[in-house]
Amino acid sequence: MKAKKVIFIILSSLVIVQVFLIDVVLKSLGPESIGLYTIKQFLLISEIALFYLIINKIESKIERNSVSKIGILLILTAAILVIFGLLSFIPGIKFDLSSQYIIALNYFTVIISNIFSTLIIFISVYFFVILKNFILSYRRKSTIRNFILLCISISLTSLTYFYTGVGKSTSFSMLLMVISIILMLIHSFRLPWVIYLSRKEKYYTIGYLILLCPMIIFLVVVLGSSSNINSPVGVLYYSSSIVRELVFNIFLFGTIYLNVAFISTIFHLPTQDIFDKKLVEISSLHNLSRLVTQAFDFRDLIEEINKLSLTVCDGSCTWIEIKNKKNNSGFYIAGSKNISLDEINELYSNSEFKISEEVKNNKKLVYLENINSKLLSNENLSKKIKSLIAFPLISHSDLIGIIYIGSNQQYGFDKEYFNIITTFADQVTISLENAELLEKSFEKERIERELLLAQKMQQKLLPQKFPEHPNLDIYAFTLPAYEVGGDFYDFSTINENKIGIILGDVSGKGISAAFYMSLIKGMFQALSKIYESPKELLININKSIYGIIDKNSFVSLIYGVLDLIKGKLYLSRAGHCPMIWISNSNIQQIKPKGIGVGLDSGDIFTNTIEEIELQLNSNDVCVLYTDGITEARNKKNEEFGLEKFIQLILNNYNNKAFTICNNLIDEVKSFTEQDTQFDDITLVVFKWKNFEQN
Amino acid sequence: MTDFKIVQCEKNGISIIELKGFLDAHTAPELEDTFQKLIKNKKYKIIVNFRDLSYISSAGLGVFMAFIEEVRKNEGDIKLTNMTPKVFNVFDLLGFPILYEIYGNEEDAIAKFLKDGENKDSMTQEIE
């Protein structure tokens, strides 16, 4: 790119030198060399083109705002006027008209003309490029096409002067001129940049244009009217009529364009306020929409909303009330700006101050245009708030909050803005809801974490290892339907040859069941050491639990104490599923009498409960279970059922307790096909072995 | 899946609740509401007919536990009738037959209510 620029500069220098040489030759040879004259014209055209390319390159790299562009135009115009001024003062510049060509009368004239005409051409092209940048800023599809038409029209107009003498024009060139002027007029309305000027920039623009417009009008008059070849414009005529015409056209266009721009800028001044406000509104709404996606912290969000309220509505203080969703106790002030909480409370304590009620009742914006000082006894406050708007934040026709914006001027708000305030309110509502959803999801995550923790705790509450004794083979399994459950099993070592095995089911599922379960586990561990008889233990658990447990909750328990030497099992049941006892393929459901724990305060429970003594044979299988197994359901809503369960135990009769347990659970799982588990599942399998016999 | 329906009627001043379908943790609140309304209206003589109930879970059993105390305090009762063997088994396991009166049909339960009423009357007469 840089190389191109250098080539252009070298080329244009060459062209300038050539033009100069031709002028020298023409001076020495006399005006008869038409051929040379033609070459000069072509060289000048290429000079203009090269200048355009160079300047365009330079300008395209510089970011100028509109004001600085006008400034440059002012400098360029002034420069040309200075040049013309100089020319009229330099003595000895003399031209003569021979037939239709201008000839320089001395070599000094040739030199001076060449220097200044080149300068003028350069400045004019520069002027044109800046104008072009004005026209093509904020371009539309048609902009470039129209501008190219204008360029062609101007070029053609200029080219018609190829062989025309000074001050002469053909009707064809006049026609082209008219077309050019029409196109210039059309282009002079391409002034979108004026709208986007800030107030300060507009003042600068007007200031520059006040200087520039008369100057450029004067320049155009000079360029257009003077056909006197010994006036300063003669330098251009001498250079070429094409050049003069082109320079004239460029500045004519400049005159039209800049004068229209001047008037337009002046007319835009009164609407400046509105435009500035709109720009602020747009940018604040934009900020808010960004806020919606970024609000992670509620307090930050409120702070940001307050800031935006002030900018959007041009207020002097603001506060926001938000509905308290947690306990529905009405509204609270979530945040304020430029007004303290005390001041707001003071405002609210005034019985005349009914704006909140009004908004709450009508769910519509309320505007107090002119607040009298009666309403605001506090002097400080009455200075701060002279007018006030309050508007509701409505989500699904529910009022979730109110934004108040006060102004320190009477009639401080423009009713035109109320539309925008509605949009603003919508955005705020969305962002608040977003923040709330976010908070909820954090909360949910927290609860999930807590539940996982509870699950781990509950797993720790289960016996970490099974009782070990040469005469005992035991295994157990539990699987809650949710994270935590109400099923449990536990063991207690009563003495070295006696163990207690308990299994239970707290009614209901989930957390509440889990709490009772841990309670009963604690009681069991404490009481089993005191009451050796299962019956006594259950009676005591019932007594302790009855007052604590919910009326509609209860616990079913089954508890056996196994004498590992004698193979005797003492069994009591409190409303639980019976024990399945398989001895030599003889299936028995052991169901001693007893009602659930927590159903009765004591007497009925105590009078009902039985204790059974069983003499186990070696390798008998005993199974304790919860109804989660027998009532497990598959997709067809069929129950797993007790019969199938017993049959499976029979099939596994000779296996170890561990295998029996796992096989049973696998069967249940494959039956339900991993569907949602409805209830907790718990299973204890144990076998007594007569060590002496074996 | 949780199909549950309650049909209510009244005979001889005794409220009869017929249960249909599945009574579990999801449907139990419906039954709770029914009991609450009865108690609010001071109807303490209640018969629950289980003829069309196909399943009851522990949460369902809990509903009866929740109200029996208050009902009995007000000289009423909740009597259960027409249980299928399966449903009876669930009640039986927990020992409900000891705590509640369970009858084969509504008529027996109504008769019991009426008889209790007479006994009470004759007792008060005796005292006088």
Side-chain angles (χ1 to χ4, degrees), chain A residues 90-263:
Chain A
I90 295 172
I93 302 173
K94 285 262 183 281
F95 299 109
D96 195 17
L97 210 61
S98 124
S99 63
Q100 53 178 325
Y101 303 113
I102 307 172
I103 47 168
L105 288 182
N106 49 44
Y107 284 106
F108 175 72
T109 307
V110 173
I111 294 164
I112 292 291
S113 301
N114 265 284
I115 290 170
F116 283 105
S117 65
T118 308
L119 267 175
I120 291 171
I121 292 168
F122 185 83
I123 291 169
S124 305
V125 173
Y126 211 118
F127 192 94
F128 178 76
V129 169
I130 301 279
L131 271 185
K132 182 204 83 172
N133 287 345
F134 263 127
I135 302 282
L136 296 188
S137 62
Y138 307 99
R139 72 178 71 168
R140 274 192 251 116
K141 206 177 168 187
S142 57
T143 316
I144 291 187
R145 190 195 63 208
N146 289 348
F147 189 69
I148 288 172
L149 272 178
L150 175 68
C151 293
I152 291 170
S153 169
I154 290 177
S155 309
L156 284 176
T157 313
S158 309
L159 284 175
T160 53
Y161 290 86
F162 205 103
Y163 285 118
T164 327
V166 177
K168 291 171 188 162
S169 48
T170 59
S171 53
F172 179 59
S173 56
M174 287 313 287
L175 177 72
L176 280 171
M177 183 81 186
V178 170
I179 294 172
S180 295
I181 290 174
I182 292 170
L183 285 169
M184 285 174 196
L185 282 170
I186 292 171
H187 275 89
S188 64
F189 289 100
R190 279 216 48 79
L191 292 162
W193 53 272
V194 173
I195 301 165
Y196 292 97
L197 294 175
S198 68
R199 179 176 286 270
K200 203 175 156 196
E201 283 173 332
K202 281 204 175 97
Y203 285 137
Y204 273 108
T205 306
I206 289 169
Y208 283 155
L209 287 175
I210 283 175
L211 290 173
L212 180 52
C213 287
M215 273 161 64
I216 199 167
I217 290 170
F218 177 68
L219 180 61
V220 167
V221 170
V222 168
L223 281 170
S225 63
S226 177
S227 51
N228 180 1
I229 52 163
N230 279 321
S231 73
V233 189
V235 177
L236 289 176
Y237 281 117
Y238 171 67
S239 180
S240 160
S241 284
I242 300 174
V243 170
R244 191 213 63 95
E245 190 61 25
L246 190 70
V247 171
F248 172 70
N249 271 296
I250 287 171
F251 283 97
L252 181 64
F253 179 38
T255 310
I256 295 171
Y257 188 75
L258 292 172
N259 278 289
V260 174
F262 178 63
I263 295 164

Side-chain angles (χ1 to χ4, degrees), chain B residues 95-107:
Chain B
F96 266 51
I98 294 160
L99 304 166
Y100 292 82
E101 291 173 26
I102 300 178
Y103 296 94
N105 54 57
E106 272 179 29
E107 287 68 34

Side-chain angles (χ1 to χ4, degrees), chain A residues 608-627:
Chain A
T608 319
I609 195 158
E610 278 183 344
E611 184 174 314
I612 291 179
E613 184 188 322
L614 301 170
Q615 178 61 55
L616 302 184
N617 300 309
S618 189
N619 283 318
D620 282 0
V621 178
C622 298
V623 178
L624 306 176
Y625 64 97
T626 57
D627 55 8

Side-chain angles (χ1 to χ4, degrees), chain A residues 356-470:
Chain A
S356 303
E357 295 309 310
E358 237 174 287
V359 174
K360 278 169 200 167
N361 291 337
N362 301 332
K363 291 183 185 172
K364 273 189 181 135
L365 185 144
V366 177
Y367 179 22
L368 305 178
E369 298 173 315
N370 188 1
I371 298 177
N372 55 23
S373 47
K374 231 190 256 169
L375 192 60
L376 304 164
S377 44
N378 185 325
E379 200 177 308
N380 213 346
L381 209 56
S382 64
K383 257 185 211 161
K384 209 178 259 181
I385 303 175
K386 292 206 164 114
S387 55
L388 182 71
I389 43 175
F391 52 92
L393 305 173
I394 295 168
S395 153
H396 307 296
S397 70
D398 229 16
L399 186 71
I400 65 158
I402 304 172
I403 289 181
Y404 300 83
I405 302 168
S407 169
N408 50 14
Q409 281 162 10
Q410 280 138 2
Y411 308 97
F413 299 100
D414 206 330
K415 282 184 179 160
E416 301 291 319
Y417 289 157
F418 291 175
N419 270 338
I420 293 196
I421 286 175
T422 316
T423 318
F424 176 64
D426 287 347
Q427 291 279 345
V428 171
T429 309
I430 292 168
S431 63
L432 285 173
E433 282 187 331
N434 239 19
E436 196 187 309
L437 281 177
L438 216 59
E439 206 170 305
K440 267 188 194 159
S441 78
F442 284 147
E443 180 72 9
K444 200 179 155 230
E445 216 167 275
R446 192 185 66 77
I447 290 171
E448 273 167 11
R449 268 204 310 275
E450 298 273 303
L451 269 178
L452 278 179
L453 206 68
Q455 189 176 30
K456 275 186 190 160
M457 287 297 297
Q458 198 174 38
Q459 277 161 4
K460 277 184 190 161
L461 282 179
L462 291 172
Q464 295 304 302
K465 55 183 184 182
F466 297 107
E468 281 174 27
H469 193 281

Side-chain angles (χ1 to χ4, degrees), chain B residues 51-98:
Chain B
R51 191 173 45 230
D52 296 320
L53 191 81
S54 42
Y55 173 82
I56 186 162
S57 78
S58 58
L61 292 173
V63 179
F64 299 98
M65 296 305 307
F67 296 100
I68 188 70
E69 206 174 304
E70 191 172 355
V71 167
R72 286 190 179 154
K73 221 186 277 171
N74 289 290
E75 290 162 354
D77 196 16
I78 301 174
K79 298 188 198 297
L80 316 174
T81 73
N82 298 75
M83 285 186 189
T84 59
K86 223 173 95 185
V87 171
F88 178 77
N89 190 37
V90 176
F91 278 90
D92 185 41
L93 269 182
L94 258 174
F96 266 51
I98 294 160

